Amino acid sequence: MFSRTYGATTLGVNGVLIDVEVDVSSGFPQFDVVGLLDTAVKESRERVRTAIKNSGIQMKAERVTISLAPADIRKDSSGLDLPIAVGLLAGYGIVPTERTKGCLFAAELSLEGELRGIHGILPMAVHAREQGIETMFVSPANAKEALLVDGLKVYAPATLAELVAFLTGRAECEPAKAEQISENDDAFGTEDFSDVQGQFMAKRALEIAAAGGHNVLMVGAPGAGKTMLARRLPSILPVMTKQEALEVTKIYSIAGLLGQNGGLITERPFRSPHHTTSAAAIIGGGSVPRPGEVTLSHNGVLFLDELPEFAKAVLEVLRQPLEDGVVTVARVNATLTFPSRMILVAAMNPCPCGWAGDKDRVCNCTPNEIKRYTRKISGPLLDRIDIHIRVPRVEYKDLTSVKKSESSAAIRKRVMAAREIQLERLAPCHAYCNAQMNHAALQKTCVLTESAKKLLEQVFSKMKLSARSYDRIIKVGRTIADLDKSANIEDRHIAEAVQLRNDLGLGIDS
């Protein structure tokens, strides 16, 4: 007897529908599964047979052939256990085939027949709904995640026996119910800019970065507060929209980082990989590519502390995601594109000892040592970072001041007001912040006053800027003007943008 069920796997950050075809016929007992299988799916044959047996279901030994289509996509999800089991039971006539039509099954089976959670349920559910599937069967651990998709009826039986009893009409099973998603504007944890004493220039730079989505490089002595400032950047970013939250949740679902709750991620990601991290971990990789740190920080912040300590090859792979907002990973089995629209915040010391340029401490590094230290940061990479600032050591009077600094909530109000201006202006360009503007959009939407043009011309000639640097100064100037609620970019806006993009004395050729 022939039967068909539907399962799913993931490819990149998207779900892929898998057509599970089962044929049960008389002949020499055999159990074959075909369709470009990974190890996890090859092993499902033993899990499925044992789970069915331990669920109290007896099947006669027959010739069984199972095909997973499309055959040109590698299947690497243990979540295909359940559709294989249901298809097999339908092929034997135990489960009515009409009860499985229009349903998606996605769960791993234990040897006792329990339904276990898997990674990537959200992108599978999104794709299933797009394909017209309205009912999905998952494990209880994945129910909350599947329910994030509107218009999808989700069932979460605990065991295969419960599922079979429901499909055969011997028992009832209530659909899982979605929990109310609370949108809390202040759900940013305990990191707040009110804790930062002094560092007014750095806080201003991060406000501009948040308002326009600009990348930032902070250079300063050890203990100046670079890491503390970076960790508070998410607290002034705009609250994520439902679409942004779904994008981030899909990525974390595939990476297996949703945790026990498995609900919608409402806080912007903050990723801080160690400097020993490999290029594959940063950009994504594996035989079937998985998301890397640049993708896990999508719609959030990627913080690289001690920037020169990262391998040069690791830093150079950041060029594409910083420029395009996506990263393409090519492997033998697949070539996939992952989203990577994030704000890069990098921090470093000015020299190996950390005290170059400090007014009170003496630097013991030679010019050659400083050059070797900063050589890993290439000119093209530095050119893609919009804002370069020095972070000086905090003065004693600032540390002991009883005056409370401005809170993240107050800064975020100005940031969101600037973002609303950008959303309205850039809607025809399909961008939502100034950092995403291409050159054509920049020429169309950024109007400079005559005095601003003259100042920019002088700066361009004196600093010998590249075309990319020219564009980025205008983008930062546009963001400063948005914060200032100015329709045009004036000379004071360009002057501040140039001040936020000085060479920092690092000796890096740009």
Side-chain angles (χ1 to χ4, degrees):
M1 184 176 175
F2 175 82
S3 69
R4 173 183 280 119
T5 57
Y6 291 106
T9 186
T10 56
L11 195 62
V13 294
N14 298 312
V16 178
L17 208 61
I18 301 298
D19 195 354
V20 180
E21 299 173 317
V22 180
D23 181 75
V24 179
S25 58
S26 59
F28 185 78
Q30 195 169 334
F31 195 119
D32 293 321
V33 184
V34 297
L36 197 60
L37 315 177
D38 207 348
T39 304
V41 184
K42 290 178 181 178
E43 294 172 348
S44 68
R45 177 174 55 184
E46 301 303 325
R47 288 195 299 271
V48 167
R49 288 198 298 192
T50 307
I52 291 175
K53 182 191 70 174
N54 289 334
S55 297
I57 302 170
Q58 298 298 321
M59 296 188 303
K60 182 181 175 182
E62 299 278 9
R63 182 181 180 87
V64 177
T65 304
I66 299 175
S67 174
L68 306 180
D72 61 338
I73 295 177
R74 181 169 290 277
K75 292 81 180 176
D76 62 344
S77 173
S78 60
L80 292 171
D81 286 3
L82 189 58
I84 290 174
V86 174
L88 187 60
L89 293 171
Y92 271 94
I94 298 171
V95 171
T97 55
E98 61 270 13
R99 293 297 300 270
T100 65
K101 290 181 179 178
C103 300
L104 179 72
F105 301 88
E108 181 184 323
L109 289 175
S110 72
L111 296 184
E112 285 187 307
E114 293 181 354
L115 272 61
R116 290 176 172 169
I118 60 172
H119 300 163
I121 281 291
L122 180 56
M124 294 178 191
V126 169
H127 183 68
R129 192 68 192 91
E130 291 171 350
Q131 297 301 310
I133 291 176
E134 298 181 351
T135 305
M136 188 170 183
F137 291 88
V138 299
S139 74
N142 290 138
K144 184 184 291 187
E145 191 177 338
L147 285 167
L148 295 175
V149 180
D150 295 330
L152 192 65
K153 184 181 288 186
V154 178
Y155 291 92
T159 64
L160 180 61
E162 286 183 23
L163 175 59
V164 172
F166 172 66
L167 294 176
T168 55
R170 292 185 287 108
E172 290 296 323
C173 182
E174 291 295 323
K177 294 183 179 179
E179 295 181 4
Q180 188 67 29
I181 299 173
S182 60
E183 297 184 2
N184 184 3
D185 287 2
D186 296 317
F188 291 101
T190 58
E191 308 285 0
D192 196 282
F193 268 94
S194 61
D195 303 327
V196 181
Q197 299 293 102
Q199 301 296 11
F200 303 107
M201 180 72 173
K203 286 189 283 190
R204 169 65 174 171
L206 290 179
E207 179 181 342
I208 295 169
H214 303 291
N215 303 316
V216 182
L217 171 63
M218 296 187 289
V219 180
K226 302 183 294 294
T227 301
M228 181 175 67
L229 287 162
R231 290 192 178 279
R232 281 155 177 77
L233 180 58
S235 69
I236 63 172
L237 289 173
V239 178
M240 280 202 294
T241 64
K242 179 70 178 294
Q243 181 60 37
E244 287 178 323
L246 282 172
E247 289 175 2
V248 173
T249 307
K250 280 174 63 176
I251 293 167
Y252 276 68
S253 173
I254 289 168
L257 298 175
L258 280 185
Q260 295 287 336
N261 293 330
L264 189 70
I265 294 177
T266 57
E267 295 184 27
R268 293 191 179 271
F270 181 88
R271 304 291 298 181
S272 180
H274 192 260
H275 59 75
T276 57
T277 303
S278 67
I282 290 287
I283 216 72
S287 56
V288 177
R290 294 290 182 182
E293 292 292 340
V294 293
T295 301
L296 292 171
S297 56
H298 179 63
N299 289 331
V301 177
L302 175 63
F303 177 49
L304 301 183
D305 200 6
E306 304 296 345
L307 189 65
E309 300 298 336
F310 284 83
K312 187 175 179 65
V314 172
L315 297 180
E316 292 309 305
V317 299
L318 291 171
R319 291 192 193 185
Q320 185 196 10
L322 290 180
E323 191 71 23
D324 302 332
V326 295
V327 57
T328 302
V329 182
R331 294 293 184 269
V332 173
N333 293 321
T335 298
L336 301 175
T337 299
F338 296 103
S340 58
R341 288 282 183 198
M342 79 296 186
I343 296 177
L344 172 67
V345 180
M348 60 178 286
N349 297 330
C351 66
C353 77
W355 302 112
D358 191 270
K359 62 181 181 180
D360 298 320
R361 301 288 291 269
V362 177
C363 173
N364 297 316
C365 304
T366 65
N368 284 337
E369 288 175 334
I370 297 175
K371 191 172 184 179
R372 281 197 301 271
Y373 181 70
T374 59
R375 189 175 291 168
K376 290 180 183 177
I377 311 168
S378 66
L381 176 61
L382 193 66
D383 218 22
R384 287 168 168 82
I385 301 177
D386 305 350
I387 298 173
H388 312 153
I389 57 169
R390 275 199 177 273
V391 182
R393 287 188 298 112
V394 182
E395 299 288 341
Y396 179 79
K397 62 180 181 180
D398 291 326
L399 282 175
T400 56
S401 174
V402 295
K403 184 180 179 181
K404 198 70 172 176
S405 298
E406 192 175 25
S407 69
S408 292
I411 300 173
R412 191 166 71 246
K413 286 181 181 178
R414 295 196 296 269
V415 168
M416 293 182 70
R419 283 287 184 104
E420 287 173 6
I421 294 171
Q422 294 166 45
L423 279 171
E424 183 178 350
R425 183 177 62 244
L426 299 176
C429 306
H430 305 290
Y432 61 84
C433 65
N434 289 330
Q436 295 178 1
M437 287 190 293
N438 56 27
H439 186 71
L442 183 143
Q443 288 185 314
K444 185 178 180 180
T445 61
C446 297
V447 180
L448 280 72
T449 63
E450 288 301 319
S451 58
K453 290 179 181 177
K454 289 180 182 178
L455 176 59
L456 189 56
E457 181 182 3
Q458 295 172 3
V459 170
F460 187 86
S461 301
K462 185 176 181 180
M463 296 179 65
K464 295 180 174 54
L465 299 176
S466 66
R468 183 184 290 115
S469 295
Y470 169 84
D471 281 356
R472 290 183 183 270
I473 285 176
I474 294 179
K475 290 178 184 179
V476 174
R478 180 65 267 176
T479 300
I480 297 169
D482 289 337
L483 286 167
D484 203 22
K485 293 183 172 61
S486 173
N488 298 326
I489 305 174
E490 300 179 9
D491 52 356
R492 69 178 187 274
H493 303 140
I494 292 295
E496 186 174 4
V498 171
Q499 186 182 10
L500 291 171
R501 193 181 173 84
N502 60 65
D503 63 4
L504 300 171
L506 294 177
I508 302 170
D509 297 328
S510 58

